[in-house]
């Protein structure tokens, strides 16, 4: 509990550490209390001398009593209750007027409970009233020619009691309430400042999380778009190496096709890096870069469509080649629809929204051309026929179809990497309110030569992130036959035709 309510022990104004001696928060407070104690001590010494003469006591004893009583004001900030009690105790000796006034003010301004303040103030009023009444009665007895009314002594006593008690108490209550209000406002301001600081820190954390999330999404999109084509290119190059000594002329032609595929992969990579630079510049200008992965997917689809037209003549020239030559040629064609030109409307949609379910047949065809035995099964054949009449229109939301496409693409790429020569089966099921896809492969052939493709371990993680981001379920793991299975179920609402 503080002495005056101005500040806590050991803490000065505005939360500053104590700079004064002992219990004083500031040096000027100590100087003020020393001055008040000295003035009160002089007053009490003078009044103590008069009391000693009237009571026929040694004058030195009266002076000593006054000095001790007046000096109590030094501890008014530390023990205000004790100061008021001392002032009440010396009232019969008619000393300590200044001591009582300053003590009552300090008590009212402190954090002492109000019931104690009221009790001590009442005791002071009663003490002052009794002392004044007795003094007036003695004075009236000593003056024979003074005959005041009967009410004079009681009225004067009450007036003196209220005059010496009410003003310091009321003023102390006002100062104490004002100080507490200032403390409350200062605490609220400090609390708001801390909250603003926490909000700023959280906003920075959210911004950093958003940046990391965007980097992850862009990296995942680049992995899905570029890694598949490069993996097929490596597979074709490995097979080309196997037949190089048997038929050098055929190997030379197929080597040219592999080189074309590499150039196409570099073109796709350059396109995506250009998109990243554009998105980065837009972010500096205040634009949102959350659509970067979708733009990357659109670039990949547009590049695939360009590759179809660019390689049409080359496919005709190398159609008679068998084995590895056919595989290299088919993979270099990229996503196509049986060699037919992509309609302008279809290309525009692919550029805007990325790959769709209609391109799964082309994706499976690429793996077949690379020598893998792949089977594509669609459970809803009637609706597939109806969808074919819509001319490649989307049956589901663009994000759903793109996610299914990426899952199948990455799963087939993993089969090329980890199970060369294995048979694969792709199942697509259209259900009420959801779309399910499963890619399962058997064990790889022991005598099949692998392409030695590196694996970063991010394929399954990326597939899981894509599916769970749409509220779907993703499961992957080995099968009892020694193969591997990837399954995904996504909630999907059909798009009106």
């Amino acid at each position: 509990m503080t002495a005056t309510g101005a500040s806590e022990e050991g803490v000065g104004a505005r939360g500053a550490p104590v700079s004064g001696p002992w219990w004083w928060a500031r040096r000027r407070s100590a100087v003020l209390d020393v001055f008040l104690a000295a003035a009160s001590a002089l007053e009490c010494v003078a009044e103590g001398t008069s009391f000693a003469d009237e009571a026929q006591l040694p004058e030195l004893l009266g002076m000593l009593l006054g000095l001790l009583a007046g000096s109590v004001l030094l501890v008014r900030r530390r023990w205000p209750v004790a100061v008021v009690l001392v002032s009440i105790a010396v009232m019969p000796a008619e000393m300590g007027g200044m001591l009582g006034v300053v003590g009552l003010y300090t008590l009212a301004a402190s954090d002492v409970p109000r019931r104690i303040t009221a009790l001590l103030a009442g005791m002071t009023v009663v003490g002052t009233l009794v002392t004044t009444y007795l003094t007036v009665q003695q004075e009236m007895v000593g003056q024979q020619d003074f005959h005041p009314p009967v009410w004079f002594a009681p009225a004067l006593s009450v007036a003196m009691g209220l005059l010496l008690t009410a003003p310091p108490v009321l003023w102390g209550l006002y100062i104490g309430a004002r100080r507490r209000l200032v403390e409350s406002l200062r605490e609220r301001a400090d609390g708001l400042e801390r909250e603003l600081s926490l909000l700023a820190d959280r906003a920075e954390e959210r911004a950093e999380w958003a940046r990391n999330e965007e980097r992850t999404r862009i990296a995942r999109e680049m992995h899905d778009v570029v890694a598949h084509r490069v993996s097929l290119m490596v597979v074709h190059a490995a097979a080309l190496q196997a037949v190089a000594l048997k038929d050098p002329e055929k190997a030379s032609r197929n080597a040219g096709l592999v080189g074309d595929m590499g150039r196409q992969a570099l073109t796709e990579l350059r396109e995506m890096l250009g998109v990243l630079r554009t998105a980065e510049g837009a972010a500096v200008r205040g634009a949102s870069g959350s659509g970067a992965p979708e733009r990357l997917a659109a670039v990949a689809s547009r590049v695939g469509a360009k590759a179809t037209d660019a390689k049409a003549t080359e496919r005709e020239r190398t159609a008679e080649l068998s084995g590895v030559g056919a595989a290299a040629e088919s993979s270099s064609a990229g996503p196509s629809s049986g060699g037919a030109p992509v309609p302008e409307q279809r290309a525009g949609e692919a550029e805007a929204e990325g790959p769709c379910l209609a391109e799964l047949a082309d994706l499976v065809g690429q793996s077949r051309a690379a020598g893998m035995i792949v089977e594509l099964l669609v459970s809803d054949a009637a609706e597939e026929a109806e969808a074919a009449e819509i001319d490649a229109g989307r049956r589901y939301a663009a994000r759903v179809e793109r996610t299914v496409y990426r899952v199948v693409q990455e799963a087939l790429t993993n089969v090329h990497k980890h199970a060369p020569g294995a048979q694969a089966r792709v199942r697509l099921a259209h259900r009420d309110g959801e779309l399910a896809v499963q890619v399962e492969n058997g064990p790889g052939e022991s005598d099949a030569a692998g392409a030695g493709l590196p694996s970063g371990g991010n394929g399954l993680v990326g597939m899981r992130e894509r599916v769970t981001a749409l509220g779907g379920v993703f499961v992957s793991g080995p099968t009892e036959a020694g193969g591997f299975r990837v399954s995904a179920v996504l909630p999907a609402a059909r798009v009106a035709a």
Side-chain angles (χ1 to χ4, degrees):
M1 180 178 63
T2 61
T4 64
S7 60
E8 296 182 357
E9 181 181 357
V11 179
R14 299 183 181 275
V18 173
S19 59
W22 294 340
W23 53 82
W24 287 286
R26 291 168 293 184
R27 295 186 182 276
R28 63 178 183 180
S29 300
V31 173
L32 175 62
D33 287 353
V34 169
F35 173 77
L36 292 176
S40 176
L42 291 177
E43 177 195 10
C44 290
V45 165
E47 295 172 346
T49 302
S50 301
F51 172 74
D53 292 341
E54 294 177 1
Q56 296 180 356
L57 295 175
E59 184 176 346
L60 183 60
L61 181 61
M63 295 177 62
L64 182 61
L65 178 62
L67 180 63
L68 294 177
S71 302
V72 174
L73 278 182
L74 279 175
V75 296
R76 71 183 185 95
R77 299 178 187 269
R78 186 70 172 178
W79 297 291
V81 175
V83 174
V84 176
L85 289 176
V86 170
S87 69
I88 295 174
V90 298
M91 279 184 182
E94 298 182 359
M95 68 173 63
M98 183 178 179
L99 177 66
V101 171
V102 177
L104 286 175
Y105 162 79
T106 305
L107 178 68
S110 67
D111 288 336
V112 174
R114 290 292 168 253
R115 61 178 181 275
I116 297 179
T117 302
L119 176 63
L120 293 179
M123 293 174 61
T124 303
V125 170
V126 172
T128 304
L129 188 150
V130 172
T131 303
T132 304
Y133 182 80
L134 294 177
T135 302
V136 171
Q137 289 294 336
Q138 291 178 0
E139 293 292 337
M140 292 173 58
V141 171
Q143 298 181 3
Q144 300 295 333
D145 56 346
F146 182 65
H147 302 284
V150 178
W151 53 264
F152 176 77
L156 182 61
S157 302
V158 172
M160 288 297 295
L162 294 178
L163 182 63
L164 295 178
T165 305
V169 170
L170 294 177
W171 183 251
L173 291 175
Y174 167 74
I175 294 298
R178 181 173 177 274
R179 286 171 177 171
R180 283 186 288 273
L181 177 61
V182 171
E183 285 290 328
S184 175
L185 293 177
R186 184 177 295 117
E187 290 177 359
R188 291 178 60 185
D190 294 341
L192 289 176
E193 184 177 357
R194 288 192 297 270
E195 290 181 5
L196 289 176
S197 178
L198 290 176
L199 289 176
D201 294 340
R202 292 177 182 174
E204 181 63 25
E205 292 176 359
R206 286 194 297 268
E208 183 64 24
W209 175 86
R211 287 192 291 267
N212 293 335
E213 186 69 15
E214 191 64 21
R215 293 190 190 102
T216 302
R217 293 177 60 191
I218 292 174
R220 182 170 60 243
E221 198 69 32
M222 292 182 66
H223 174 272
D224 293 341
V225 173
V226 178
H228 180 69
R229 183 176 295 278
V230 175
S231 298
L232 289 180
M233 185 178 68
V234 175
V235 170
H236 298 332
L240 177 63
Q241 184 180 7
V243 300
L245 298 179
K246 299 179 181 178
D247 192 346
E249 185 178 355
K250 183 187 298 184
S252 177
R253 294 176 183 177
N254 293 333
L257 293 177
V258 174
D260 292 338
M261 293 174 62
R263 284 187 288 272
Q264 292 175 23
L266 290 176
T267 301
E268 293 181 11
L269 181 59
R270 189 180 298 110
E271 291 273 355
M272 282 182 288
L273 292 177
V275 170
L276 289 178
R277 294 192 185 96
T278 304
E280 192 174 303
V284 173
R285 295 188 298 270
S288 174
S290 61
E294 287 75 6
R295 298 177 63 190
L296 290 173
V299 169
S301 299
R302 176 160 53 86
V303 173
K306 291 180 179 179
T308 301
D309 297 333
K311 285 299 173 180
T313 305
E314 193 66 26
R315 287 199 305 272
E316 294 177 358
R317 182 173 64 86
T318 59
E320 70 279 2
L321 297 179
S322 60
V324 180
E329 181 274 328
S330 300
S331 63
S332 66
S336 63
S337 55
V342 180
E344 287 186 10
Q345 183 178 0
R346 172 78 172 277
E349 290 181 359
E351 182 173 354
E353 299 177 343
C356 58
L357 293 181
E359 300 179 23
L360 282 181
D362 299 334
L363 182 64
V364 171
Q366 294 178 18
S367 294
R368 288 173 180 168
M372 180 191 300
I373 300 177
V374 188
E375 183 180 5
L376 176 61
L377 301 176
V378 181
S379 63
D380 204 344
E383 294 191 5
E384 282 298 316
E386 180 183 351
E389 297 177 359
I390 305 176
D391 191 17
R394 289 187 181 273
R395 303 175 60 191
Y396 301 96
R399 294 183 64 189
V400 174
E401 295 198 5
R402 183 169 59 250
T403 299
V404 172
Y405 183 91
R406 295 304 187 199
V407 168
V408 176
Q409 183 185 56
E410 181 62 26
L412 293 178
T413 302
N414 288 340
V415 176
H416 284 290
K417 289 181 179 180
H418 307 295
Q423 299 182 7
R425 181 180 293 106
V426 179
R427 294 188 180 93
L428 184 66
H430 301 271
R431 304 171 184 170
D432 293 337
E434 63 182 16
L435 181 62
V437 62
Q438 183 183 89
V439 181
E440 181 178 353
N441 63 274
E445 297 180 357
S446 58
D447 57 346
L453 290 169
S455 176
N458 297 320
L460 293 177
V461 175
M463 286 189 281
R464 185 181 301 277
E465 290 176 351
R466 283 183 177 276
V467 174
T468 55
L470 299 181
V473 178
F474 178 83
V475 178
S476 63
T479 63
E480 295 180 358
F484 201 82
R485 181 187 298 116
V486 172
S487 302
V489 179
L490 292 90
R494 298 179 185 272
V495 177

